[in-house]
Amino acid sequence: MSTLEFFINDMAENARTGTLKINGHLVKTPALVQTGAELTKLTPFEVSQAGTTIVKINGLAWWLKYGEKLSEIGDLHRLYQWNGLLLVDLQTDYAYQLAKPRGKKQDGVRFHDPKTGQLKFWQPETALRVQEILGADILQSFNRADDYYAPVDDLAVGVDQTQAWLEINRSVAGMTLGTVVGGGLKKLRKNSIKAVAANNLAGYQISGIPATLSNQEFIRIINEVLTMLPSNQPRYLPTSTTLAQLIIAVLAGVDLIDSNLAAKKAAKGIALVGENLESLHLGRQHFSFDKQPIEPGCDCPVCQSGYSRALIHSLIIDGKFWGEQLLLRHNLFALNKMMTNFRQAIASQQIKSFIQELL
């Protein structure tokens, strides 16, 4: 069994840089966990060339598709030829959305598969086995997913159930991030954190914080939760944040953060450009004859290869997938470069000036 190692290198107020080691991989934090199915749209070389070190795959979707035959698929590192870190999303929030009230059981969640109509039972033991079969480098504990603003009684039940399920991961505690739930309530979050600590898990996954929160509420809950966490273990935010929320999370001391920004923007024909990652809408007509690269001076492989805005505009207008691929490669590079600059600013104690320029 592998053990996750984490070391803090630099601190600038609450923001920090670190090094995460597991299964022979070394990741500099804070880092982005890409969640936009990059490995289905680009080659593994293109994904890593853009600076990506961690990708996340939807585990529940794989299980629903293959069921007991999932073991024949095996480790997704081999399937995708991916040499970086792999996380497997348990998608408990999706399962609970599909479940009727009586489907929320003490030992899991029962729901109908929207594609086949078959009744499925997603359980902690199954979720752990799926992660292991698919080759997850870092495991996640199972949780009951409730709405952030759900009634207190429902959130309390969610904390109790999530706490009870932590024990299932004890045999793989050294590579498991324990899930912290409790909506926006401090007392419940504190109880959830204590439960993770009691099970001696490798770190903390801060779940149940939607990107739809206002920035003010997002700042409040992130800072409240992180001040209750031990400083020597990694913190993972499995929320595909906005750019502003991403910055807030790093400043608060989150180490791993989900991001689908690169893929989401690329699918809309948008390139992220400049120091503050402004949106460049290449589908607009005035780019029809623009022979500049996406971003003059950019070091990404797409800009360095000389692909023009006009070409990408034409591909977008014609609905060619190649245009989205080129934008995805550029956007991944831009976001990962921003995170590199973020780490450098923390290390050099220049975080305030860096944020001012970024914003």
Side-chain angles (χ1 to χ4, degrees), residues 1 11 44 51 53 68 78 91 124 147 181 189 196 199 203 234 239 276 280 299 303 316 327 334:
M1 182 185 72
M11 293 287 299
T53 55
E68 294 303 317
R78 290 193 296 270
Q91 296 180 279
D147 183 78
V181 294
R189 289 278 179 183
V196 173
N199 282 271
T239 300
N276 54 356
L280 191 69
D299 293 328
C303 292
I316 292 169
L327 285 174

Side-chain angles (χ1 to χ4, degrees), residues 285-346:
Q285 193 62 36
H286 62 272
F287 290 111
S288 298
F289 304 100
D290 192 333
K291 296 181 180 179
Q292 297 182 90
I294 296 175
E295 182 177 1
C298 174
D299 293 328
C300 86
V302 177
C303 292
Q304 289 296 304
S305 296
Y307 292 105
S308 68
R309 295 174 176 180
L311 172 63
I312 297 174
H313 167 82
S314 176
L315 293 170
I316 292 169
I317 295 301
D318 292 342
K320 304 294 186 183
F321 185 54
W322 187 29
E324 181 182 343
Q325 288 177 310
L326 293 173
L327 285 174
L328 177 55
R329 292 178 67 188
H330 169 83
N331 289 348
L332 284 172
F333 184 92
L335 282 164
N336 287 321
K337 181 181 178 181
M338 182 199 73
M339 295 304 291
T340 297
N341 294 338
F342 222 139
R343 291 192 294 268
Q344 291 173 349
I346 295 170

Side-chain angles (χ1 to χ4, degrees), residues 180 188-198 204 225 228-230:
V180 175
L188 293 181
R189 289 278 179 183
K190 188 174 183 179
N191 291 341
S192 190
I193 290 167
K194 286 182 178 179
V196 173
Y204 296 82
V225 172
M228 295 188 285
L229 295 178

